[in-house]
């Protein structure tokens, strides 16, 4: 059986050689990055803010340090963890996955996220992705956050409610919105799926990118309002912001 699978894989690679998920260069295996793209990614590692996962340039000392933004205004969730910084190097990787139908990267992303969020997942009862509005889902044909959630769930052995949250209205893109405009844009935009009981559940909320945290914060507040015990956040990319 292994020989048949290996032969088929070899034949397929000869016709359709696997390409780097980020730049499109040929690589050895599907769902991989070339050495150049891998080396350009800035992976998030300690020290970082325990609440939002924002990396520190200098180690502030102590295991439970918070960034200035989280000290001034604590996020709705408990902890957030990210795989890498969302910057010029990682942007093509995420855009290809999010808008370019490069879905073969989902298993690798799931492994990376499960590793980055191991301390969150080991305590979790349920994984829930940030939802897309039905019209945007129809246009894109898939919810990238749901694909990541399913991949993380497989890696961590945790249940996933892929449609646990619903987006009630189609909010405009937030790329050029200020922090406060983003909050207003998503306020009241989500609902828990009818019949899903999150009472007492420790939930890990999944999305592809964290910028200001407006969307994730609104989803976290909704889950807590509906009885969730805790909400943690796990994302693939984390925008690095200037601290106040």
């Amino acid at each position: 059986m292994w020989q048949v699978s290996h032969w088929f894989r070899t034949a397929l690679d000869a016709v359709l050689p696997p390409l780097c998920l980020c730049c499109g260069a040929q690589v050895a295996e599907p769902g991989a990055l070339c050495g150049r793209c891998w080396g350009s990614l800035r992976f998030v590692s300690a020290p970082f803010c325990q609440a939002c996962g924002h990396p520190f340039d200098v180690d502030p000392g102590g295991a439970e340090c918070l960034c200035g933004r989280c000290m001034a205004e604590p996020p709705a969730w408990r902890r957030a963890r990210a795989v890498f910084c969302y910057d010029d190097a990682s942007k093509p990787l995420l855009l290809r996955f999010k808008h370019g139908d490069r879905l073969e990267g989902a298993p690798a992303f799931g492994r990376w996220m499960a590793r980055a969020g191991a301390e969150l997942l080991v305590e979790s009862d349920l994984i829930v992705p940030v939802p897309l509005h039905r019209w945007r889902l129809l246009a894109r044909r898939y919810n990238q956050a749901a694909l990541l959630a399913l991949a993380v769930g497989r890696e961590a052995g945790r249940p996933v409610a892929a449609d646990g949250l619903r987006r009630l209205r189609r909010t405009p893109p937030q790329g050029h919105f200020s922090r406060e405009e983003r909050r207003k844009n998503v306020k009241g935009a989500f609902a828990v799926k009818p019949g899903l009981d999150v009472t007492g559940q420790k939930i890990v909320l999944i999305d592809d990118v964290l910028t200001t945290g407006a969307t994730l914060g609104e989803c976290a507040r909704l889950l807590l309002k509906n009885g969730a015990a805790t909400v943690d956040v796990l994302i693939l990319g984390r925008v690095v912001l200037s601290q106040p």
Side-chain angles (χ1 to χ4, degrees):
M1 188 64 163
W2 178 87
Q3 290 179 328
V4 173
S5 176
H6 180 70
W7 177 87
F8 180 77
R9 165 73 184 281
T10 302
L12 183 62
D13 286 352
V15 178
L16 297 171
L19 303 178
C20 172
L21 295 171
C22 190
C23 72
Q26 189 168 333
V27 293
E29 295 187 3
L33 297 176
C34 68
R36 182 172 177 271
C37 289
W38 178 267
S40 70
L41 293 181
R42 182 185 171 191
F43 291 96
V44 176
S45 59
F48 50 74
C49 173
Q50 292 300 302
C52 73
H54 196 286
F56 291 128
D57 292 328
V58 178
D59 191 346
E64 299 299 323
C65 287
L66 303 181
C67 66
R69 197 180 299 277
C70 288
M71 285 192 286
E73 187 178 356
W77 60 79
R78 181 175 56 162
R79 298 169 295 179
R81 298 292 181 266
V83 175
F84 49 69
C85 297
Y86 184 64
D87 53 21
D88 290 342
S90 62
K91 189 174 183 179
L93 176 63
L94 275 167
L95 291 182
R96 280 171 176 260
F97 174 62
K98 189 171 183 175
H99 299 294
D101 293 340
R102 294 296 303 272
L103 307 186
E104 70 272 23
F109 298 155
R111 289 193 297 273
W112 300 352
M113 292 175 75
R115 192 177 304 120
E119 63 180 313
L120 314 182
L121 293 164
V122 73
E123 301 176 4
S124 67
D125 299 309
L126 185 65
I127 296 172
V128 179
V130 170
L132 283 180
H133 187 270
R134 61 183 180 276
W135 294 118
R136 191 164 291 163
L137 180 61
L138 184 64
R140 190 179 296 172
R141 304 186 308 282
Y142 62 91
N143 176 6
Q144 73 280 356
L147 294 179
L148 292 174
L150 291 168
V152 171
R154 283 192 293 271
E155 288 293 322
R158 289 291 185 268
V160 179
D163 58 349
L165 293 178
R166 298 166 53 208
R167 193 179 287 252
L168 301 178
R169 53 186 173 82
R170 187 175 183 178
T171 54
Q174 304 195 118
H176 299 292
F177 284 7
S178 68
R179 187 180 184 88
E180 187 57 33
E181 286 171 337
R182 287 172 182 250
R183 288 178 180 171
K184 292 179 179 178
N185 188 41
V186 298
K187 188 172 179 60
F190 304 98
V192 174
K193 177 185 177 181
L196 178 64
D197 185 8
V198 297
T199 304
Q201 299 285 294
K202 294 180 179 179
I203 295 176
V204 173
L205 189 60
I206 300 283
D207 205 0
D208 55 343
V209 178
L210 189 157
T211 306
T212 64
T215 298
L216 286 158
E218 185 68 13
C219 290
R221 279 186 286 271
L222 174 66
L223 290 166
L224 292 168
K225 183 179 178 181
N226 279 266
T230 60
V231 177
D232 291 318
V233 166
L234 181 57
I235 58 272
L236 190 56
R238 209 276 181 230
V239 173
V240 177
L241 301 170
S242 59
Q243 289 297 314

